[in-house]
Amino acid sequence: MCIRDRDLATASSGKPQHLPVLVAMGRMYRDLGIREQVVEIYAAIAGFTTEPALLAQAAVALVDAGATHEGLAVAKRIQTALLDDAAAYELLMAHGRALLDVDPRQAVDRMEEAHEAYPAQRTADGDQRLLEAYLAVGNTARARALVMDIETLVRRSPVDAPRLAKAANVWADYLYARGDFRGAADAYAQAIKADLSGSPDLPWVQYQRGNALFELADFEESARLFDTVAASKVKPWAEQASLMAEHVRLEQRLRGLPVTPRDGVQKG
């Protein structure tokens, strides 16, 4: 805490405005991303109040700042039924994040509770964290179902397409790492289709789909995807994709297959 802020907090100590001053300072430090000060201020707030909404703010802020043990301690003091839906969702998600390294299955339970109990409050970040939690505990059925739910959401609300692109990419990476190349190729295709804005991740997704298709011996489609990434000039994937495109065509020659021509590129 800087000297001026500390003076302000000290001057208000013992007065009715002390807690509002701390809350305002905490929000300022969160906006600035100064984690050390966030932890100090919100730990103080948690010590000054029993008001559920403020405690929920403190718990979430502490977890976000990396003070997971402190955040857990505060979260345990709160009854979510006393919070509005948005605060309850945010608190349960933060509680789950704090538990991931301590008790992953309980962490999933907290996140699922948020996801199921407050559907109107779901966020892209919350969906992503729940997906990653499912994968961390190996719950592939729930992970697949969540990606499908997000796909259904995007059909109704195309503006949420980036949410699907990110989730499908995470799901595809998981499948690829475990040797499920068909599942990975399909999920990468899903991510490519949803990436309407051409995000910085798109060349990586196209490159990985090319790799998955190569493993499936779909050499023509693989070569075209590698050509697409090579033409993008995006480092480091463009150079690697160029090398892989040559490798695919060499494999086609060795197998006596028609060699895919370099007659343009495609999106996926």
Side-chain angles (χ1 to χ4, degrees):
M1 193 184 306
C2 73
I3 294 175
R4 183 173 299 174
D5 291 339
R6 192 179 299 277
D7 288 345
L8 180 60
T10 301
S12 65
S13 181
K15 299 178 181 179
Q17 65 266 35
H18 184 56
L19 188 56
V21 167
L22 289 178
V23 171
M25 289 169 57
R27 288 173 179 163
M28 178 186 70
Y29 285 124
R30 286 191 80 184
D31 290 343
L32 293 172
I34 306 176
R35 293 190 174 190
E36 181 179 336
Q37 305 300 343
V38 167
V39 172
E40 180 181 350
I41 293 295
Y42 279 100
I45 290 171
F48 273 109
T49 187
T50 58
E51 204 278 311
L54 284 180
L55 287 175
Q57 288 181 33
V60 172
L62 289 166
V63 171
D64 287 347
T68 54
H69 293 297
E70 294 87 342
L72 278 173
V74 177
K76 291 175 182 177
R77 297 167 53 192
I78 308 165
Q79 296 182 47
T80 53
L82 300 177
L83 301 172
D84 64 38
D85 287 357
Y89 175 87
E90 190 176 18
L91 175 66
L92 287 167
M93 277 295 177
H95 196 173
R97 295 199 304 275
L99 285 169
L100 270 176
D101 294 331
V102 181
D103 187 340
R105 295 197 179 278
Q106 190 179 354
V108 170
D109 288 344
R110 294 287 77 74
M111 292 184 182
E112 277 191 327
E113 183 181 350
H115 188 77
E116 297 300 329
Y118 305 101
Q121 304 301 324
R122 293 173 187 170
T123 65
D125 182 65
D127 286 350
Q128 192 73 12
R129 290 182 182 277
L130 178 58
L131 175 61
E132 291 168 355
Y134 280 145
L135 298 179
V137 299
N139 196 334
T140 55
R142 290 290 181 89
R144 181 181 290 107
L146 178 56
V147 174
M148 291 174 64
D149 285 347
I150 297 172
E151 184 177 37
T152 300
L153 168 67
V154 170
R155 290 197 195 103
R156 297 195 306 265
S157 176
V159 71
D160 287 311
R163 183 183 299 199
L164 176 60
K166 190 172 182 180
N169 186 21
V170 170
W171 174 230
D173 285 347
Y174 179 88
L175 295 173
Y176 186 93
R178 281 150 186 78
D180 182 355
F181 300 116
R182 170 48 58 197
D186 291 344
Y188 284 128
Q190 189 179 30
I192 291 168
K193 183 178 180 180
D195 192 348
L196 305 178
S197 61
S199 76
D201 293 330
L202 182 58
W204 157 257
V205 179
Q206 292 172 316
Y207 178 76
Q208 278 297 86
R209 175 165 158 77
N211 282 322
L213 291 171
F214 178 77
E215 295 290 347
L216 295 167
D218 186 345
F219 299 126
E220 182 173 357
E221 183 73 6
S222 178
R224 292 178 185 272
L225 274 166
F226 288 134
D227 286 346
T228 296
V229 180
S232 74
K233 306 299 183 182
V234 175
K235 296 182 179 180
W237 311 120
E239 184 176 349
Q240 295 186 35
S242 180
L243 294 173
M244 280 301 301
E246 294 305 315
H247 181 61
V248 173
R249 290 181 170 95
L250 175 60
E251 190 69 24
Q252 288 175 316
R253 293 186 185 96
L254 291 174
R255 297 192 185 202
L257 299 172
V259 177
T260 303
R262 297 178 181 82
D263 59 353
V265 297
Q266 61 183 45
K267 293 183 178 179

